[in-house]
Amino acid sequence: MFDNFTGMAEPMSDTPFVAVEGLHFARGDKEIFRGVDMTIQRGAITAIMGPSGSGKTTLLKLIGGQLLPDAGRVLIEGQDVHRQSRKALFAMRQRMGMLFQSGALFSDLSVFENVAFPLRVHTDLPGTMVRDLVLMKLEAVGLRGARELMPAELSGGMARRVALARAIALDPELILYDEPFVGQDPISMGVLVQLIKRLNQALGLTSIVVSHDIKETLTIADYVYVIADGQVMAHGTPKSLDVDQDPRVSQFVHGEPDGPVPFHYPAVDFVSDMLSPGGPR
Amino acid sequence: MIQRIRRLGHRGCDLLESFGRAGIFLAQSAVGLPSREGLYLWVRQMHFVGVLSLAIVLVSGLFIGMVLSLQGYTILVDFGAEDALGQMVALSLLRELAPVVAALLFAGRAGSALTAEIGLMKATEQLTSMEMIGVDPLRRVVAPRLWAGFVALPLLTVGFGVVGIYGGYLVGVDWLGVFEGSYWSNMQASVDFVDDVGNGIIKSLVFAVVVTWIAVFQGYDLVPTSEGISRATTRTVVYSSLAVLGLDFVLTAVMFGGLA
C-alpha cells in the first residue's frame, strides 16, 4: 500500500517551522487561550493534545490564519500569519494542507475532482498530468478505485482519506490534522495512523496533529504538547510525558476518569441541590 | 428604562455592524475581473438560478396577465373603454407587476436555495476547507452566484412581462372578444420604451442586486447549525420581500411621481 514512498524524512533543524508566541484568544467572555507558546520543528510530527473543549481546533484555526488572536502571534518560517494581506495569506495557505474533522469534501464534486481541485486552481498543468497526480495521491491513500464516487457515497473513514489525498495534492510543507481519529473503526484508525506517519516520512512534511486519542497519537508523535485551561500544561517527547509526575498530565495521559480535572461540571453541592425547593429545574 | 435604552442601542449597533459586513462582503465578492473558470461557474449558476426558475416565473406571468385582463375588462367595459385593455395590461405589467412579482418569486425560488446551499457549505466546513486550500470562497462560491442572480432576474422579468401580455391577449381578445387590432395598437401607442419598459428593467436590476445580495449574504453569515440554516432561509425570503416592496415604492415615486 505504501510502496510508492521511498523518500527519506528531512533532517530536523533547530529553527522552528512554526512558532506560536504568547497567544491569547477569547470567544465572547470565554477565554480560550491565555498565553500559549509552542515551537514546531520542521519534519516532525507534533501532537497537540488536551481534553475536549480545550480549544485544540481553535488553535489549528489560529495557525491557519482563519481566526485572529487577541494578542500574541503565529510565525510560519518567521512570517507572521496574521499580518499578511488576504492575497499573501492565501498564497501562504497553498503551502499548508489541512485535514478537517468532517473531511469537508466538496459535496458537488466526485472524489477525483475533489483531489484535483487544488491542482486545477493553483497550477496550469495539462489534464493528463493532473490525472496522473490525482491517481498517485489516491493510490497513496488506497482509494484509487473510488475515484468516480461522490462524497455522499463514502464512509467516514474513506472521506477522511480522500480529504487527506486532497490535502497533499499540492505537496504542502505543513499539514494540520484536526482530530483525524475521531469516530473511526479500529481498521481505518490503524490505516490513518500509518498514513500520517508514512506520509510525513516520505514527503518530508511537518505535521501538527490535534487529537485526544492518546494511544494512537503517542505512537506516531515526535513531540507532544498538552493544553488545558488555556495554557500549555506539559510538553515533551511521548516517553517523557508517560513518566511525568504531574498529576494533571498523568490523569490525561493514562485516561483516568477523575483527578485534578474533575469529572463533574462545576455545580452547587448535590445534596443541597436535590433538597432545595425550586422550580421545574 | 436605562436597560431598555441600552438594549435598543445595542441592537442598533448590531444592525449597523451587519450592514457594514454585508457591504464589505458585496464589495469583496462582486468586484473583480472574471476569469475563464469564473465564466464557467457563472454559466452553471445561471442554470440553477435562472433556467430552473423559468417555469414558475412564466406560469405565474401567464396567470397574472390573464387575471389582469379579466379584471380590467369588467371595469373598462362599464365605460365602453374595453379597447384600452391592451394598454392597461401592458402598463401594469411592465411598470409594476413584472418586476415586483418576478422578484418575489425569485426570492422564494432561487434566493432561499442560494441561502441554504451556501449555509450548508459553511456548516460542513466546505468554505473553510476552500480557504485552507488557498481559494477565496468569496470569489469562487459567492461571486458566480451573485452575478448569476444580477443577470437572471432582469431576464426573467422580461419573460414574465411578455408571457403576461400574451395571457392578457388570450383572455381579452380570444375569450372576451375585445378587438384584436385595438388591443395591440393601443398598447403600441401608449407604451413608451424608455419610460415604461426601460424603467421596469431598471427596477428589476435593482431588485436583482438586493435579493441576490440578501440571499447570498444570509447564507454566508449564518450560524452553522440546522436551526441557523432554517432561520437564515426564512430571513432571506422575508427581508427580500420587504426590501422589494419598499424599494418598489421609492423607485415608482422617483420614476413616475413626476408624470402626474
Side-chain angles (χ1 to χ4, degrees):
Chain A
M1 163 175 188
F2 304 109
D3 299 345
N4 289 348
F5 299 122
T6 52
M8 296 289 290
E10 279 183 15
M12 286 189 196
S13 65
D14 285 342
T15 50
F17 188 57
V18 181
V20 178
E21 297 173 356
L23 202 67
H24 282 74
F25 183 77
R27 262 210 178 106
D29 295 335
K30 197 179 171 220
E31 224 177 7
I32 297 180
F33 296 122
R34 295 178 290 148
V36 170
D37 293 292
M38 282 182 188
T39 51
I40 284 150
Q41 296 300 332
R42 185 183 289 275
I45 298 180
T46 304
I48 298 172
M49 309 182 73
S52 301
S54 56
K56 301 185 296 293
T57 304
T58 310
L59 186 61
L60 277 193
K61 287 188 172 169
L62 283 160
I63 293 175
Q66 289 166 9
L67 295 174
L68 271 180
D70 297 328
R73 53 188 194 158
V74 175
L75 303 174
I76 296 184
E77 286 196 311
Q79 286 183 303
D80 191 336
V81 174
H82 302 101
R83 288 188 178 276
Q84 308 291 320
S85 67
R86 197 173 166 86
K87 202 174 169 188
L89 180 64
F90 278 108
M92 210 176 209
R93 283 182 182 154
Q94 288 178 37
R95 295 163 53 204
M96 297 182 205
M98 182 160 176
L99 184 71
F100 286 85
Q101 204 169 335
S102 59
L105 296 173
F106 303 132
S107 45
D108 56 340
L109 300 179
S110 67
V111 165
F112 182 93
E113 285 302 325
N114 259 288
V115 182
F117 182 83
L119 296 165
R120 290 202 203 284
V121 293
H122 289 310
T123 67
D124 290 325
L125 295 174
T128 51
M129 200 173 273
V130 169
R131 178 178 179 274
D132 291 350
L133 282 171
V134 171
L135 294 188
M136 278 164 67
K137 305 298 177 190
L138 283 174
E139 175 73 11
V141 298
L143 290 176
R144 191 168 43 87
R147 72 187 106 157
E148 297 304 329
L149 298 181
M150 294 304 282
E153 298 171 284
L154 302 174
S155 71
M158 285 162 83
R160 220 163 286 182
R161 278 150 70 190
V162 174
L164 183 53
R166 186 179 66 181
I168 58 170
L170 284 172
D171 293 325
E173 297 161 52
L174 172 69
I175 294 211
L176 312 171
Y177 295 93
D178 185 9
E179 300 280 6
F181 312 121
V182 162
Q184 298 293 311
D185 63 65
I187 299 174
S188 38
M189 179 109 98
V191 169
L192 277 166
V193 169
Q194 283 308 312
L195 261 178
I196 293 173
K197 177 127 190 111
R198 298 296 291 263
L199 284 175
N200 200 73
Q201 286 177 345
L203 304 178
L205 301 168
T206 303
S207 305
I208 301 178
V209 182
V210 150
S211 177
H212 52 220
D213 291 289
I214 302 160
K215 198 171 121 272
E216 289 72 21
T217 314
L218 290 187
T219 55
I220 53 168
D222 297 309
Y223 205 80
V224 181
Y225 282 91
V226 181
I227 52 175
D229 298 329
Q231 285 172 318
V232 174
M233 185 165 75
H235 59 100
T237 58
K239 265 189 192 154
S240 71
L241 284 186
D242 202 35
V243 294
D244 198 308
Q245 296 300 314
D246 186 331
R248 292 178 309 165
V249 178
S250 161
Q251 186 201 352
F252 183 74
V253 173
H254 300 113
E256 290 149 7
D258 211 351
V261 178
F263 166 70
H264 289 287
Y265 192 82
V268 295
D269 177 59
F270 184 51
V271 174
S272 56
D273 206 4
M274 294 299 281
L275 296 177
S276 69
R281 296 201 184 144
Chain B
M1 186 65 195
I2 294 288
Q3 277 292 329
R4 271 191 199 167
I5 294 174
R6 193 181 290 168
R7 225 177 295 148
L8 196 71
H10 193 67
R11 277 201 184 171
C13 287
D14 278 354
L15 190 72
L16 280 179
E17 194 196 328
S18 70
F19 270 118
R21 269 206 316 276
I24 294 171
F25 168 84
L26 183 69
Q28 279 183 342
S29 46
V31 180
L33 290 173
S35 60
R36 214 178 61 197
E37 178 77 12
L39 203 67
Y40 164 75
L41 292 169
W42 174 77
V43 171
R44 244 174 82 97
Q45 288 309 318
M46 278 297 284
H47 174 76
F48 287 121
V49 169
V51 177
L52 296 183
S53 308
L54 207 56
I56 182 177
V57 167
L58 294 187
V59 170
S60 311
L62 186 73
F63 281 117
I64 287 197
M66 286 161 70
V67 168
L68 207 57
S69 184
L70 194 53
Q71 291 279 13
Y73 180 84
T74 55
I75 295 169
L76 290 174
V77 81
D78 286 345
F79 306 97
E82 67 269 25
D83 285 345
L85 188 65
Q87 171 185 356
M88 195 216 82
V89 169
L91 288 181
S92 332
L93 277 170
L94 295 175
R95 287 182 180 182
E96 285 300 330
L97 287 170
V100 171
V101 178
L104 294 177
L105 291 169
F106 184 80
R109 161 66 187 73
S112 57
L114 284 175
T115 305
E117 190 191 13
I118 294 181
L120 207 59
M121 287 175 90
K122 183 176 180 182
T124 53
E125 293 186 307
Q126 293 184 45
L127 296 181
T128 324
S129 76
M130 199 173 273
E131 276 185 7
M132 285 306 295
I133 292 174
V135 174
D136 189 349
L138 289 180
R139 309 246 11 113
R140 170 98 197 175
V141 174
V142 172
R145 286 169 173 76
L146 274 177
W147 281 103
F150 295 171
V151 177
L153 182 52
L155 293 177
L156 289 169
T157 303
V158 171
F160 188 103
V162 170
V163 172
I165 289 171
Y166 182 68
Y169 168 85
L170 281 182
V171 169
V173 176
D174 282 356
W175 182 24
L176 299 171
V178 173
F179 177 54
E180 187 178 356
S182 54
Y183 184 85
W184 292 120
S185 62
N186 260 326
M187 194 186 297
Q188 198 180 4
S190 62
V191 174
D192 185 83
F193 189 76
V194 176
D195 278 348
D196 302 317
V197 181
N199 278 337
I201 288 178
I202 290 174
K203 273 188 183 181
S204 81
L205 271 172
V206 174
F207 297 158
V209 171
V210 171
V211 170
T212 322
W213 182 17
I214 290 176
V216 174
F217 178 70
Q218 288 295 341
Y220 197 80
D221 201 49
L222 55 71
V223 184
T225 59
S226 18
E227 197 193 359
I229 294 177
S230 104
R231 281 188 180 188
T233 317
T234 311
R235 271 204 302 268
T236 291
V237 178
V238 173
Y239 290 176
S240 339
S241 307
L242 288 176
V244 164
L245 296 170
L247 276 172
D248 182 50
F249 176 74
V250 175
L251 289 171
T252 307
V254 172
M255 290 168 172
F256 303 104
L259 295 183

